[in-house]
């Protein structure tokens, strides 16, 4: 399926779940690896806020792309974020969704000049 770039410049993303290894096989505990590099993959949870609406999403990032100093509730950036629609049949039932992936997750410092909310600054 096609990979779609996600434009996030007008959005605020807040970290809601700390990075943890992405499990490929729940029965064996096998950790998912990048198909090209073989690097271990991690998942994070973020709330995506834009135009007065919010969504909770899980994003997969390579282990080397997880920055130090990430804090729950703090704004983050997800450079190289893409979305990939998927569908499968599990136990005879059709399932579908959108998988999100990014090259990295980094802390994002919001400033008063950006016009966006930041911790310690009153919301508009």
């Amino acid at each position: 399926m096609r990979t779609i770039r996600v434009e996030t410049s007008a959005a605020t993303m807040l970290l809601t779940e700390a990075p943890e290894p992405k499990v490929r096989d729940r029965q064996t505990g096998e950790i998912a690896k990048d198909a090209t590099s073989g690097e271990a993959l991690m998942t994070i949870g973020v709330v995506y806020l834009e135009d007065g609406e919010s969504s909770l999403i899980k994003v997969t990032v390579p282990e080397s792309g997880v920055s130090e100093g990430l804090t729950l509730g703090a704004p983050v950036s997800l450079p190289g974020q893409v979305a990939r629609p998927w569908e499968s049949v599990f136990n005879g039932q059709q399932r579908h969704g959108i998988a999100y992936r990014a090259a990295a997750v980094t802390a994002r410092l919001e400033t008063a000049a950006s016009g966006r909310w930041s911790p310690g600054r009153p919301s508009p």
Side-chain angles (χ1 to χ4, degrees), residues 14-37:
L14 306 174
L15 187 66
T16 59
E17 294 179 28
E20 60 182 43
K22 182 174 183 168
V23 178
R24 180 172 188 244
D25 185 329
R26 290 185 181 140
Q27 291 181 339
T28 66
E30 179 185 1
I31 302 302
K33 307 272 186 190
D34 181 86
T36 304
S37 70

Side-chain angles (χ1 to χ4, degrees), residues 21-22 31-34 37-42 61-65 101:
K22 182 174 183 168
I31 302 302
K33 307 272 186 190
D34 181 86
S37 70
E39 183 176 3
L41 297 174
M42 307 290 282
V61 295
E63 188 172 31
S64 65
R101 183 145 178 185

